[in-house]
Amino acid sequence: MRIREVMHETGLSKKSIHHYIQEGLLKPKADANSYFDFSEDDLKRLILIRQLRDLDIPAKDILQILNHPEAAIFILAYHRRKLHHKEELLVSVEGGGHP
């Protein structure tokens, strides 16, 4: 699958896909002309990466999740606590009660 198809399927930009490759989050095969050839597994991985980035999880933590799926629950719990803390700060700044 070529990058245009992947862009269409994932909603990611070419720049984002290349960034994830550069960060080591994705390692698609390259053909003889150095064009990337994405597999179905690459596509699934990119969708997961996009979902995790949508949650503001940094690339280094996504790499840990991808390389060590058993650690995912701990990493996600950490980010959940961070988001909860941010929510508490926002509520206190706004002077209101809990949402």
Side-chain angles (χ1 to χ4, degrees):
M1 183 180 318
R2 294 291 185 206
I3 197 161
R4 289 220 179 268
E5 291 175 86
V6 173
M7 290 167 54
H8 176 74
E9 292 291 325
T10 63
L12 292 168
S13 69
K14 186 176 182 178
K15 182 178 177 181
S16 292
I17 294 168
H18 281 282
H19 175 73
Y20 297 146
I21 293 168
Q22 185 178 20
E23 289 288 318
L25 297 173
L26 185 70
K27 296 176 184 172
K29 292 181 181 176
D31 67 13
N33 296 322
S34 298
Y35 290 110
F36 290 116
D37 184 20
F38 296 88
S39 68
E40 283 297 318
D41 286 341
D42 292 330
L43 181 65
K44 290 175 186 175
R45 192 171 176 109
L46 271 171
I47 290 169
L48 177 59
I49 291 166
R50 188 199 70 221
Q51 291 169 337
L52 293 169
R53 285 298 301 135
D54 286 348
L55 296 171
D56 290 330
I57 297 176
K60 69 177 181 65
D61 289 345
I62 293 173
L63 187 59
Q64 287 297 314
I65 290 169
L66 295 172
N67 290 337
H68 307 284
E70 68 281 359
I73 194 157
F74 301 106
I75 295 167
L76 294 173
Y78 167 76
H79 286 285
R80 182 174 177 239
R81 286 191 304 273
K82 276 180 51 175
L83 286 172
H84 182 70
H85 180 69
K86 283 182 182 180
E87 178 186 36
E88 287 175 342
L89 288 174
L90 286 172
V91 169
S92 68
V93 167
E94 292 173 356
H98 289 282

